[in-house]
Amino acid sequence: MEVKDNYDVIIVGGGAAGFTAAYEASHNGLSVLVVEKGRNTGGSGEYIEGAFAVDSYLQKQHDVKLTKEDVLSEELNYSHYRADTQVWKEYIDASAGIIKWLKDLGVEYLDVAPLGSGYRTWHLFKGLGKSVIHDVLEPKAKKQGTDVITSTEVTKVNLSNNGQVESVNIESLADHSTKTINTKAVVLATGGYLNNKELIKNETHYDVDQLIPVNSEKNTGDGLQLAWKVGAQKYAMGTAMLFGGYLKDHTKPGYVYRYSELNGAADQQSLLWVNENGDRFVNEEVVDNFALAGNALFTQGKVFTVLDQSTIDHLANDKLYKPMGTWDYHDTKLPHLKEEMQKAFAEGASYLTKADSINELANKVNLANLEKTVDRYNQLAHSGEDVDFGKKADFMIPIENGPFYAIELGIGAFCTMGGLKTNTEHNVIDQSGKPIAGLYAAGNDAAGMLIGDTYGPNMPGTEAGFVFYSGKHVADVIYQQIKD
C-alpha cells in the first residue's frame, strides 16, 4: 500500500489495542495509519479469551454482586499499592461501557465467567480476540479510511525542537525502503517485550530457559525502545502474566500447546509436582491462581509433574479432578490425552518420560529423591490428610500403577506488562515526570500502571480489558487534543 505523507495518528502495532485505537480514531474523523511489522495483523491479541468489567449488562443478567469500590481495593492491595490508583479507578468506571461498546460494534460474547478461584469478571468472546480484531475492529477501521501497512517497522519517533512528536521513520522489511511520515500523534501498541530474551534476562528476575512465551512471538519491546530513545521513563519492568506450568518444549512455538490436553493434565489438575531433586515443594492447588503458580514454579531449578497410568486412564475415560483454570474448557474429561501422549512419544518429545517403575523413572530423569517423595506422597494420599503441604484429600491421587510418567514443565507466560510510565490520558511520561507531547501508549506497553510484581487473575480479564479500554480512550484523548 502507498502511504500518505501525513496522518493525524500513527499507531505502531496492529493488534487488539492498535485496532481498537484505529477504529475509534477514524470513527472520530481522524486520518489514521496502522504500522504492523508482521506479515499479518492480529498479534497476540488473537488469543484473548475474554475481557474484564465491573457492573456490565452480562453481570447484571447473572446478578453478580461486585462493586467498583471492592474491585479497586482488591487490585490495589494485590499490587501492594504499586498500581496507579487513578488509572485503575478510571478503567474500572469505564469497563462496563467498553463491554457494551464492543457488543454494539458486533462483538459476540459466550458468557461472563470466573477463572479458577477468581471473581466473575471474565467476559468471554465468541471466536476469541481473533474474531474481535478481524471480524469487527479491523474491517470497520479500514472502512472508515484507516490505512494499514504490514511487514513494516517504525524505526524512529521524531520530536520537534519543542519536544512535540512530529513524524516517524518507517522501513519496509521486504525491500528495506524507508520513508518519513508526518503526524500529530503516535500510539505505541506493540504488546510488550515477552519475546525479547535480552530484555527478559536483563530487566526481570525470570529464567529465560524456564520462561515459555505463549503468544504471537512478535512482542519484542519495539514500542518501549522507540519511547526510551526519546526520553521516556523505563518503568515497572519485570512482570509477566505467568500461566503456571507449561510443557517444556523449546522446539515448537509455545502457542501450539495452548489447548493441549497433556498440558492441561500436567499443569491444571493439581497432580504431584517435584523439583530437580525429586522433592515436592508446594501445595499443587496453587494452580487455582495461575500467576501464583508461576511464581512458585520459578523458585525451582526444574519442575516435573509425576503421575501413573491410573491417573491417565481416569482423566481420559472418567472425569477431570478439577475444572481447567487457565483456559475456557467445557469437556468433563480429556478424551485426546492418550492420543497426544502417543504423538509426543513418536516425536521423541524430551519433556515426556515413561518408565515401568518409579526407580527407573527417577534414574531416567535424574531425580535423586523421587522414590522417597512418591512413597511419602502415597502414604499421605491413603491417610486422607496432606500434613506436609495441606492439599485437599480429593487431589491427593496415589501414584502406584505403572507405567509411570514424568512431564517436564517450564513456566508459561502470555505477555509482559510495563516498560513505560503513562498518565490517565495515556501520554508517555519522560524522565522529569512530564508528558512527551503527542506520544501515547496503550495495551501491554502501558499496563505497568496496573500491577505490582504479579498479575492478578483473581479479577480475570483485566489485562485484556485494559487493551480495549486504553485503545478506545487514547483515541478519544487524541481527538480532543487535536480538536482543541
Side-chain angles (χ1 to χ4, degrees), residues 198-268:
E198 284 302 307
L199 283 178
I200 293 293
K201 180 179 179 180
N202 296 330
E203 301 289 347
T204 80
H205 58 276
Y206 301 127
D207 180 342
V208 294
D209 181 60
Q210 289 284 78
L211 189 69
I212 301 175
V214 186
N215 61 2
S216 68
E217 300 193 309
K218 296 189 290 187
N219 306 123
T220 53
D222 303 349
L224 309 184
Q225 293 177 88
L226 288 169
W228 294 336
K229 287 176 182 176
V230 293
Q233 284 190 42
K234 184 180 288 186
Y235 181 80
M237 298 287 286
T239 303
M241 185 194 293
L242 303 181
F243 265 10
Y246 210 81
L247 297 181
K248 192 174 182 182
D249 184 359
H250 288 313
T251 68
K252 295 180 180 179
Y255 61 76
V256 303
Y257 295 115
R258 181 71 182 89
Y259 298 102
S260 159
E261 293 182 12
L262 179 55
N263 187 52
D267 173 43
Q268 292 297 304

Side-chain angles (χ1 to χ4, degrees), residues 235-449:
Y235 181 80
M237 298 287 286
T239 303
M241 185 194 293
L242 303 181
F243 265 10
Y246 210 81
L247 297 181
K248 192 174 182 182
D249 184 359
H250 288 313
T251 68
K252 295 180 180 179
Y255 61 76
V256 303
Y257 295 115
R258 181 71 182 89
Y259 298 102
S260 159
E261 293 182 12
L262 179 55
N263 187 52
D267 173 43
Q268 292 297 304
Q269 293 302 294
S270 291
L271 305 177
L272 173 63
W273 281 348
V274 300
N275 64 14
E276 65 272 24
N277 300 315
D279 294 322
R280 191 178 177 208
F281 59 92
V282 73
N283 177 346
E284 295 88 355
E285 286 181 275
V286 72
V287 303
D288 289 346
N289 182 310
F290 59 74
L292 298 185
N295 286 347
L297 295 172
F298 263 123
T299 66
Q300 309 300 310
K302 290 185 177 181
V303 177
F304 298 85
T305 299
V306 178
L307 65 165
D308 67 0
Q309 189 62 48
S310 292
T311 299
I312 297 292
D313 293 341
H314 177 88
L315 290 170
N317 304 325
D318 191 1
K319 63 180 180 178
L320 299 169
Y321 294 110
K322 66 194 313 177
M324 293 295 188
T326 60
W327 43 291
D328 185 32
Y329 186 80
H330 300 285
D331 206 333
T332 57
K333 54 188 176 181
L334 300 176
H336 305 103
L337 177 58
K338 294 182 180 181
E339 176 187 338
E340 287 186 15
M341 293 181 72
Q342 290 172 356
K343 182 180 178 182
F345 282 124
E347 293 176 346
S350 61
Y351 60 82
L352 182 60
T353 304
K354 178 180 179 181
D356 292 326
S357 69
I358 294 295
N359 177 265
E360 181 187 0
L361 189 66
N363 290 329
K364 280 187 172 183
V365 194
N366 193 27
L367 301 176
N369 299 330
L370 184 62
E371 280 190 281
K372 181 175 70 174
T373 296
V374 171
D375 286 344
R376 174 65 174 170
Y377 191 75
N378 289 341
Q379 175 190 343
L380 296 174
H382 287 299
S383 75
E385 185 179 7
D386 179 14
V387 296
D388 289 350
F389 291 94
K391 186 162 72 173
K392 293 184 183 67
D394 289 349
F395 308 122
M396 293 295 293
I397 312 302
I399 302 170
E400 299 173 318
N401 301 309
F404 302 92
Y405 304 89
I407 305 168
E408 186 170 6
L409 299 177
I411 296 90
F414 183 71
C415 63
T416 55
M417 292 162 286
L420 300 175
K421 189 170 189 177
T422 59
N423 59 20
T424 56
E425 294 189 328
H426 312 289
N427 286 108
V428 174
I429 304 302
D430 69 14
Q431 301 289 344
S432 64
K434 304 296 183 183
I436 299 174
L439 186 61
Y440 304 85
N444 295 339
D445 287 346
M449 308 308 293

Side-chain angles (χ1 to χ4, degrees), residues 148-194:
V148 179
I149 51 172
T150 56
S151 299
T152 304
E153 284 188 326
V154 173
T155 57
K156 187 180 180 184
V157 174
N158 302 305
L159 306 184
S160 65
N161 291 334
N162 64 357
Q164 164 79 44
V165 166
E166 64 177 8
S167 65
V168 301
N169 298 345
I170 65 171
E171 179 179 353
S172 166
L173 298 179
D175 60 15
H176 300 289
S177 59
T178 61
K179 183 180 178 71
T180 298
I181 307 173
N182 297 320
T183 186
K184 300 180 181 71
V186 171
V187 177
L188 304 173
T190 63
Y193 61 97
L194 185 64

